[in-house]
Amino acid sequence: MQAEIITIGDEILIGQIVDSNSAFIAKELNKIGVSVYQITSVEDDRDHILQSLHQASERSSLVILTGGLGPTKDDVTKQTLCEFFEDELVRDEGVLQHIENLFAKYISTPISDLNRNQALIPSKATVLHNAYGTAPGLWLKKGETSFVSLPGVPFEMKRLVLDQVLPRVIETYDRPHIIHTTLLTYGLGESAIAERIEEWENNLPYHIKLAYLPNLGRVRLRLTAKGRDKEKLEKEINEKVEQVYPSIKDIYYGIEEDGAIEERVANLLTKKGMTLSTAESFTGGKIAEELTSIPGASAYFKGTVVSYATETKINVLGVPSELIEKHSVVSEEVAISMARNVKNILNTDFAIATTGNAGPSKGDSDEDIGTVFIAISTPECTFAEKFTMGNHRERIVKKSVNKAFELLWKEILKF
Amino acid sequence: MQAEIITIGDEILIGQIVDSNSAFIAKELNKIGVSVYQITSVEDDRDHILQSLHQASERSSLVILTGGLGPTKDDVTKQTLCEFFEDELVRDEGVLQHIENLFAKYISTPISDLNRNQALIPSKATVLHNAYGTAPGLWLKKGETSFVSLPGVPFEMKRLVLDQVLPRVIETYDRPHIIHTTLLTYGLGESAIAERIEEWENNLPYHIKLAYLPNLGRVRLRLTAKGRDKEKLEKEINEKVEQVYPSIKDIYYGIEEDGAIEERVANLLTKKGMTLSTAESFTGGKIAEELTSIPGASAYFKGTVVSYATETKINVLGVPSELIEKHSVVSEEVAISMARNVKNILNTDFAIATTGNAGPSKGDSDEDIGTVFIAISTPECTFAEKFTMGNHRERIVKKSVNKAFELLWKEILKF
């Protein structure tokens, strides 16, 4: 079976927000064996929504809509659904009670008619209870196709998908299994990899697809298998991975589904009971932020000094000012001093330090824009490596954060 | 005139990546007066791409495609465009030369036939030079509709849009002006705002649209005006903003197009020649990271101590351990001590400090999950406020970072 997603809202079509809702829904549907055939973003406009509903229902047996359920005038999804289903809005007493409770509990302003109107529901719809907001989800059927309408607020949408939509989809549809395994590689372009693995790729069976996903100096190789027998699929994918491994082992660094590199660092440190601190200059706290976005970080992450100014490197991190004068602030020696000192100050087993020039101006150093040093301090040694990361500020920071985690990960494995 | 965007790639439909390309393109088109009618994400599949091309060309006079131009087998956009335009692939010597130059300069592996094949171009296409990659952009025409095909790698796509596509669109099409002004509010729900401004909203002229955009405790009010006379539109929008201001002045904190709150803080500090440091606990460096993502941060931002562990608060920030014992680590007193001390250690005019409990477990404090303290230190005083931010880790951090910038912004205005 296949599904479609329709996201409704002018803010997507004028580029005011990035549509992350549909990526979330697509990923969750995929996990339970539902392929998403198309994602369509349309305006808050009756005619356009109707056209999309018609087209989607001709192609797919499940259509999920997000957005346009708010209480204000610019939102027209509910009225348009009534037209599409030749239905009318009726008051749902359960929803009204829930809205009144939310207002009494959390909202300081008095409840208004606009709020009460959110309890008006197409009479043919099943209500999906939205514990976190005033707009309920709706489940409707026309012929063989189910239509699900969800609020566009990401947090409310996510809870509705996980708690209400997925269980109903599992109950309603017979679905195959879809398994993704994504091999992570670095240091080689997609066409060079394609040549290395050409014979293996040509011999993949029809139900296993390969995709090359290049980004920021890395290529991810995604294998997707689809079929009825989950165990057989997993066995086949594992065999294919083992077959290809010898051809890519020098550029391979893991499997995406095992978690991102920062998660693998986190798991490894937690398992070993070891700790980490960071001293960040041009990465500006990005390494710390990625670490602390993982629940449980307090077990292994003690803290960071973001030493954006040179005087902070001297006064807080204790980097000798002579070292900076002699080698400049963007240098191997300063990176090593930062890593070693933050490890001592924060009393940790490992430390990462970054110093570099992310542009757009040259700052306190003579090094070219894109030149960075990443230092790793371990219980046994401290070293720094130099990298040239291009000339685009955001990319320099992202690539450096990735590289820092890669370097650290390889070191932690030794302990 | 209106445009459509078609993003091609299985990775979007399985939710492996969020489609940020189309938001970028939509925003840039909007700036030059081109409305985007629909965004469609489809698989790397011949039939599906053909269907989307046909449908889009019936509705819109400009169709921009991204993705599917790589050298490997899974990419089929170029061949499919040939079918759609009844065309054939021919070698473009200029593109071939560029690919060979890129390989000679940047890539350590030898050039292969797969790479050379990227110089095969539909004969009817105009080549858009891609300085940063091997897949050129393509511009094709069918009847009154132009089709632009761009690589999916965000960095290459962005440069092509800015340097090549937009100038051609400006030259080719007669376009109206589109102006957005988004009023930022906090502390009141969308329906309560709608009631306050009902009369004003009802009296908006037809060519000015209003949208309510709620998220994370804030509602943004977006006014969009479309027409031929740019000056007249700007005047009208300004009048409308002045008319509505008295009704929302207690919840208003700025205009989005003037920059996000962190950008306004950055501009204000730069203008006043004043400096900032932060001491972050549960926000884990997120405040520092947002500040340093703005070019020129080194002018006012000196650094951060991410004191994730209690011992880091004591050893690096010098928070007295008795204070922590007496009031607990998540307290007004500790927040104030953190802010005051980091301001002194890093020698800045202002400081932000955060301490709180973002969950999922309670950590080193007895406070409930979602309880946070944000402290602001200024040249004249230091104070902390307590907030309850719900129970979702990511939202707690995001809302707190926003709140910290809001509190700081109001203080900087006093100097």
Side-chain angles (χ1 to χ4, degrees):
Chain A
M1 68 157 293
Q2 72 187 25
E4 300 208 10
I5 300 167
I6 300 174
T7 58
I8 300 167
D10 297 349
E11 59 273 27
I12 297 167
L13 295 161
I14 67 170
Q16 194 168 29
I17 64 161
V18 171
D19 169 27
S20 58
N21 279 357
S22 57
F24 175 84
I25 298 171
K27 194 170 195 170
E28 293 301 324
L29 287 176
N30 238 259
K31 283 186 196 160
I32 60 166
V34 178
S35 304
V36 174
Y37 181 70
Q38 182 167 316
I39 298 167
T40 313
S41 298
V42 302
E43 297 170 300
D44 290 298
D45 173 87
R46 173 195 166 275
D47 295 345
H48 200 176
I49 297 171
L50 284 175
Q51 183 199 63
S52 313
L53 287 171
H54 280 294
Q55 288 180 351
S57 66
E58 279 165 19
R59 294 180 296 236
S60 298
S61 52
L62 173 66
V63 181
I64 297 185
L65 299 86
T66 69
L69 294 181
T72 50
K73 277 194 188 179
D74 51 322
D75 287 326
V76 299
T77 302
K78 234 160 42 175
Q79 295 83 326
T80 309
L81 283 172
C82 278
E83 282 197 56
F84 185 72
F85 287 95
E86 295 168 14
D87 198 1
E88 54 176 3
L89 294 173
V90 294
R91 177 183 302 254
D92 185 292
E93 292 303 329
V95 173
L96 183 62
Q97 190 59 52
H98 171 60
I99 294 171
E100 285 176 348
N101 290 346
L102 281 178
F103 264 79
K105 227 167 145 180
Y106 296 113
I107 302 168
S108 54
T109 46
I111 189 166
S112 73
D113 283 346
L114 283 178
N115 302 122
R116 289 202 185 87
N117 285 347
Q118 294 205 275
L120 294 176
I121 304 297
S123 75
K124 297 174 183 171
T126 304
V127 168
L128 309 178
H129 177 63
N130 176 4
Y132 301 93
T134 51
L138 306 171
W139 184 293
L140 289 140
K141 266 202 106 166
K142 189 169 196 171
E144 288 307 301
T145 304
S146 296
F147 296 78
V148 184
S149 171
L150 302 172
V153 177
F155 183 67
E156 299 176 20
M157 178 282 300
K158 285 181 186 173
R159 291 296 355 149
L160 275 163
V161 167
L162 296 174
D163 300 340
Q164 311 242 22
V165 179
L166 296 178
R168 275 186 173 77
V169 172
I170 290 169
E171 208 176 89
T172 311
Y173 297 95
D174 186 31
R175 296 147 294 111
H177 291 284
I178 303 175
I179 293 173
H180 302 289
T181 297
T182 308
L183 306 174
L184 305 169
T185 75
Y186 65 96
L188 209 59
E190 56 179 324
S191 56
I193 298 174
E195 286 193 13
R196 279 195 187 184
I197 65 176
E198 189 180 0
E199 202 189 318
W200 172 82
E201 184 177 356
N202 288 338
N203 286 322
L204 287 175
Y206 181 74
H207 65 287
I208 299 185
K209 280 177 87 176
L210 174 69
Y212 295 79
L213 308 168
N215 199 22
L216 293 173
R218 296 168 169 188
V219 177
R220 298 178 300 161
L221 305 173
R222 187 190 63 227
L223 284 162
T224 303
K226 204 167 165 175
R228 290 279 146 197
D229 186 340
K230 194 180 170 193
E231 272 177 39
K232 188 164 157 265
L233 290 176
E234 283 173 345
K235 194 162 158 276
E236 282 179 315
I237 286 262
N238 284 341
E239 279 171 14
K240 289 294 154 195
V241 170
E242 276 170 35
Q243 274 174 21
V244 81
Y245 179 72
S247 313
I248 57 167
K249 68 178 172 193
D250 56 324
I251 54 170
Y252 170 88
Y253 72 93
I255 290 190
E256 183 169 284
E257 286 75 11
D258 291 346
I261 183 84
E262 62 273 17
E263 281 170 25
R264 282 183 287 136
V265 163
N267 291 339
L268 213 52
L269 286 171
T270 308
K271 216 173 81 185
K272 292 179 190 283
M274 298 178 93
T275 56
L276 173 65
S277 59
T278 75
E280 306 189 41
S281 182
F282 73 100
T283 51
K286 181 81 184 151
I287 298 175
E289 197 248 313
E290 292 211 357
L291 287 169
T292 57
S293 70
I294 306 164
S298 58
Y300 56 85
F301 177 61
K302 286 217 191 161
T304 290
V305 175
V306 181
S307 55
Y308 214 61
T310 299
E311 60 180 285
T312 307
K313 293 186 182 72
I314 299 167
N315 297 342
V316 183
L317 284 173
V319 177
S321 57
E322 309 83 59
L323 200 72
I324 294 174
E325 271 160 39
K326 191 169 169 198
H327 300 284
S328 112
V329 73
V330 177
S331 64
E332 188 182 345
E333 290 78 6
V334 168
I336 287 175
S337 174
M338 289 168 67
R340 196 181 279 141
N341 293 4
V342 81
K343 194 182 74 170
N344 289 338
I345 297 168
L346 273 69
N347 187 26
T348 56
D349 300 305
F350 295 93
I352 297 173
T354 63
T355 179
N357 192 338
S361 64
K362 281 203 168 193
D364 286 348
S365 95
D366 289 331
E367 286 282 0
D368 285 340
I369 290 169
T371 300
V372 310
F373 291 88
I374 300 171
I376 304 291
S377 191
T378 80
E380 283 177 2
C381 68
T382 304
F383 64 93
E385 287 191 27
K386 181 178 182 172
F387 300 95
T388 309
M389 297 293 194
N391 57 11
H392 186 270
R393 185 181 177 85
E394 204 186 315
R395 278 158 60 93
I396 294 169
V397 172
K398 273 196 194 160
K399 283 162 87 170
S400 302
V401 170
N402 283 341
K403 186 53 82 180
F405 283 123
E406 271 171 42
L407 291 174
L408 177 66
W409 183 61
K410 285 184 186 165
E411 291 304 314
I412 306 174
L413 286 176
K414 298 176 186 166
F415 290 88
Chain B
M1 68 157 293
Q2 70 186 25
E4 301 209 9
I5 301 167
I6 302 175
T7 58
I8 300 167
D10 297 350
E11 59 274 26
I12 297 166
L13 296 160
I14 67 171
Q16 194 167 29
I17 63 161
V18 171
D19 169 27
S20 58
N21 280 357
S22 57
F24 175 84
I25 297 171
K27 194 169 194 168
E28 292 302 325
L29 287 176
N30 238 259
K31 283 186 198 161
I32 59 165
V34 178
S35 303
V36 175
Y37 181 72
Q38 181 166 316
I39 299 167
T40 314
S41 298
V42 303
E43 298 170 301
D44 289 298
D45 175 86
R46 174 194 165 276
D47 295 345
H48 199 175
I49 296 172
L50 283 175
Q51 185 200 61
S52 314
L53 287 170
H54 280 294
Q55 289 180 352
S57 65
E58 280 165 18
R59 294 180 295 239
S60 298
S61 53
L62 173 65
V63 181
I64 297 185
L65 299 85
T66 69
L69 294 181
T72 51
K73 277 191 187 181
D74 50 324
D75 286 327
V76 299
T77 301
K78 233 161 41 176
Q79 294 85 328
T80 309
L81 283 171
C82 278
E83 282 196 56
F84 184 71
F85 287 95
E86 296 170 13
D87 198 1
E88 54 176 3
L89 294 174
V90 295
R91 177 182 303 254
D92 184 292
E93 292 304 327
V95 174
L96 183 61
Q97 191 58 52
H98 172 61
I99 294 171
E100 283 176 348
N101 290 347
L102 281 178
F103 264 80
K105 226 168 146 181
Y106 296 112
I107 302 169
S108 54
T109 47
I111 189 166
S112 73
D113 284 345
L114 282 179
N115 302 121
R116 289 202 185 87
N117 286 346
Q118 294 204 276
L120 294 176
I121 304 296
S123 75
K124 299 175 183 170
T126 303
V127 168
L128 308 178
H129 178 62
N130 176 3
Y132 300 94
T134 51
L138 306 171
W139 185 293
L140 289 140
K141 266 203 107 166
K142 191 171 195 170
E144 289 307 300
T145 304
S146 296
F147 295 79
V148 183
S149 171
L150 301 172
V153 177
F155 183 67
E156 299 176 21
M157 178 281 300
K158 285 180 187 174
R159 290 299 351 152
L160 276 162
V161 167
L162 296 174
D163 300 340
Q164 310 241 21
V165 179
L166 296 178
R168 274 187 176 73
V169 171
I170 289 170
E171 208 176 273
T172 311
Y173 298 95
D174 185 33
R175 296 148 292 110
H177 291 284
I178 303 175
I179 293 173
H180 302 290
T181 297
T182 309
L183 307 173
L184 306 168
T185 75
Y186 65 96
L188 209 59
E190 56 179 322
S191 56
I193 297 174
E195 287 194 12
R196 280 196 187 184
I197 64 176
E198 190 180 0
E199 202 188 319
W200 172 83
E201 184 177 358
N202 288 339
N203 286 322
L204 287 176
Y206 182 76
H207 65 286
I208 299 184
K209 281 176 85 177
L210 174 69
Y212 295 80
L213 308 167
N215 199 23
L216 292 172
R218 296 167 172 191
V219 178
R220 299 179 299 162
L221 304 174
R222 189 189 60 229
L223 282 163
T224 303
K226 205 168 163 175
R228 289 278 143 198
D229 185 341
K230 195 180 169 195
E231 271 177 40
K232 188 165 157 264
L233 290 176
E234 281 172 345
K235 194 164 159 275
E236 282 180 315
I237 285 263
N238 285 340
E239 280 170 14
K240 289 295 155 195
V241 169
E242 275 170 37
Q243 274 174 19
V244 80
Y245 179 72
S247 314
I248 58 167
K249 66 178 175 195
D250 56 323
I251 55 170
Y252 169 88
Y253 71 95
I255 289 191
E256 183 169 284
E257 287 73 13
D258 292 345
I261 182 85
E262 62 273 16
E263 281 169 25
R264 282 183 287 135
V265 163
N267 292 338
L268 214 51
L269 287 171
T270 307
K271 214 173 80 186
K272 292 179 189 282
M274 299 180 92
T275 55
L276 173 66
S277 58
T278 74
E280 305 189 41
S281 182
F282 73 100
T283 51
K286 182 80 184 152
I287 298 175
E289 198 248 314
E290 293 211 356
L291 287 169
T292 58
S293 70
I294 305 165
S298 57
Y300 57 86
F301 176 60
K302 287 219 191 162
T304 290
V305 175
V306 181
S307 57
Y308 214 61
T310 298
E311 60 180 285
T312 307
K313 294 187 182 69
I314 299 167
N315 296 342
V316 182
L317 285 174
V319 177
S321 56
E322 309 82 62
L323 200 72
I324 295 174
E325 270 160 40
K326 191 171 167 196
H327 300 284
S328 114
V329 73
V330 177
S331 64
E332 188 182 344
E333 290 79 5
V334 168
I336 286 176
S337 174
M338 288 169 68
R340 195 181 282 142
N341 293 2
V342 81
K343 194 182 74 171
N344 288 338
I345 296 169
L346 272 68
N347 188 26
T348 55
D349 299 307
F350 295 93
I352 298 173
T354 63
T355 180
N357 192 338
S361 63
K362 283 204 169 190
D364 286 349
S365 94
D366 289 331
E367 286 285 358
D368 285 341
I369 291 169
T371 299
V372 312
F373 291 87
I374 300 172
I376 304 290
S377 190
T378 81
E380 284 177 2
C381 68
T382 305
F383 65 91
E385 286 192 28
K386 181 178 182 172
F387 300 94
T388 308
M389 297 292 194
N391 57 14
H392 186 269
R393 186 183 178 82
E394 206 185 314
R395 278 158 59 92
I396 293 168
V397 172
K398 272 194 195 161
K399 284 162 86 170
S400 302
V401 170
N402 283 342
K403 186 53 83 179
F405 283 122
E406 272 172 39
L407 292 174
L408 176 66
W409 183 63
K410 285 185 185 163
E411 291 305 314
I412 306 174
L413 286 176
K414 297 176 185 166
F415 289 88

